[in-house]
């Protein structure tokens, strides 16, 4: 194939599907992976019809330790390599840490940390060899802000993705491989429906704090093309990120993160 391939995890909705459409609009073939095959198939049909590119649907659960390898084996079985990797799959585990089941937390870490690292580790050498690659790790403003109570590992995992992306960016920036951590705040998607926190989050939260998934993905695309290590989309989110850096332990900022940010987004 003459076209490059973009692999998007968590592609069945929200930021993931928005990234798939953006890369397809720039002429990339698209590999879509998530658990919901029916949604992936509908998105794949839409992308093929609208943009005239090839699509590959891979149903996989990245909470399974074998999931990342299975996804990349399927890509290889079709004679393809990954030129762009969008690590978007994610969710949160609501509740106080001690009140949750460890199995749920372990699966969360597998999806948001281990699978991201494994997929990235497996595709990076080929990108470096071909002197072209793009890696977008969808982190969160929560990874830059003080950690609120509840969703205990969410901010920690997203902070890990930010630091991981920064380090890998430095290792590959002169080798044709761009790495960027995308750190959105509140984003319209199914995230809060899955965690059953939509009413709690939207109540009293001003509309100007929210962004659309298409806006977020567009900002992420521009950032990785420009080889920027971190992208915080939206002016309000940029202000919050600066405040978090200036006052990392300030209780007022922590309150802001909890009450008006509630930045468990994707």
């Amino acid at each position: 194939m003459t076209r490059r391939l973009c692999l998007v995890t968590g592609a069945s909705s929200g930021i993931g599907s928005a990234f798939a459409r953006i890369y397809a609009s720039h002429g990339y073939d698209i590999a879509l992976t998530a658990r919901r095959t029916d949604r992936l198939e509908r998105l794949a049909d839409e992308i093929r019809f609208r943009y005239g590119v090839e699509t590959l649907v891979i149903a996989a659960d990245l909470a399974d330790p074998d999931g990342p390898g299975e996804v990349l084996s399927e890509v290889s079985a079709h004679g393809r390599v990954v030129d762009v990797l969008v690590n978007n799959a994610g969710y949160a585990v609501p509740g106080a840490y001690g009140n949750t089941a460890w199995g749920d937390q372990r699966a969360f870490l597998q999806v948001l940390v281990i699978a991201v690292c494994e997929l990235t580790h497996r595709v990076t050498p080929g990108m470096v060899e071909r002197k072209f690659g793009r890696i977008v790790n969808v982190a969160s403003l929560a990874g830059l802000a003080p950690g609120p109570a509840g969703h205990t590992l969410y901010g920690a995992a997203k902070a890990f993705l930010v630091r991981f992306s920064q380090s890998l960016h430095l290792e590959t920036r002169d080798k044709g491989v761009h790495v960027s951590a995308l750190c959105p705040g509140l984003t319209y998607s199914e995230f809060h429906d899955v965690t059953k926190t939509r009413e709690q989050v939207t109540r009293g939260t001003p509309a100007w704090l929210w962004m659309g998934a298409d806006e977020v993905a567009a900002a992420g695309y521009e950032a990785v093309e420009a080889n920027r290590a971190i992208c915080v989309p939206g002016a309000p989110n940029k202000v919050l990120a600066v405040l978090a850096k200036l006052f990392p332990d300030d209780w007022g900022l922590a309150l802001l993160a909890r009450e008006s940010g509630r930045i468990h987004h994707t």
Side-chain angles (χ1 to χ4, degrees), residues 57-143:
V57 169
I58 307 171
D61 185 358
L62 294 180
D64 181 346
D66 294 329
E70 291 172 353
V71 169
L72 294 180
S73 293
E74 188 70 16
V75 171
S76 296
H78 285 78
R80 306 302 301 270
V81 296
V82 176
D83 300 292
V84 176
L85 172 63
V86 180
N87 285 308
N88 169 74
Y91 62 101
V93 180
Y97 190 62
N99 296 335
T100 61
W102 171 243
D104 293 338
Q105 299 289 1
R106 182 176 54 211
F108 168 85
L109 290 173
Q110 171 64 36
V111 173
L112 272 82
V113 177
I114 301 300
V116 171
C117 292
E118 181 176 353
L119 288 169
T120 303
H121 188 266
R122 285 173 176 260
V123 304
T124 299
M127 291 179 174
V128 171
E129 182 179 352
R130 296 187 298 274
K131 296 181 172 57
F132 181 90
R134 302 289 186 265
I135 298 171
V136 180
N137 293 320
V138 180
S140 170
L141 190 57

Side-chain angles (χ1 to χ4, degrees), residues 156-245:
K158 296 300 188 179
F160 173 88
L161 291 184
V162 172
R163 296 295 179 258
F164 170 58
S165 300
Q166 287 176 310
S167 295
L168 190 59
H169 164 82
L170 293 175
E171 294 174 12
T172 63
R173 62 181 177 179
D174 298 324
K175 300 176 181 179
V177 180
H178 300 183
V179 181
S180 184
L182 176 60
C183 300
L186 290 166
T187 304
Y188 290 113
S189 71
E190 294 183 356
F191 177 86
H192 300 294
D193 297 320
V194 173
T195 59
K196 299 179 181 179
T197 57
R198 176 166 295 281
E199 182 179 353
Q200 172 192 352
V201 172
T202 56
R203 189 192 317 120
T205 305
W208 50 266
L209 276 175
W210 291 82
M211 294 184 69
D214 292 341
E215 295 176 90
V216 170
Y221 174 84
E222 293 172 4
V224 76
E225 285 302 305
N227 208 6
R228 298 201 303 270
I230 298 178
C231 172
V232 180
N237 295 326
K238 287 181 171 63
V239 171
L240 288 173
V242 170
L243 289 174
K245 185 179 294 187

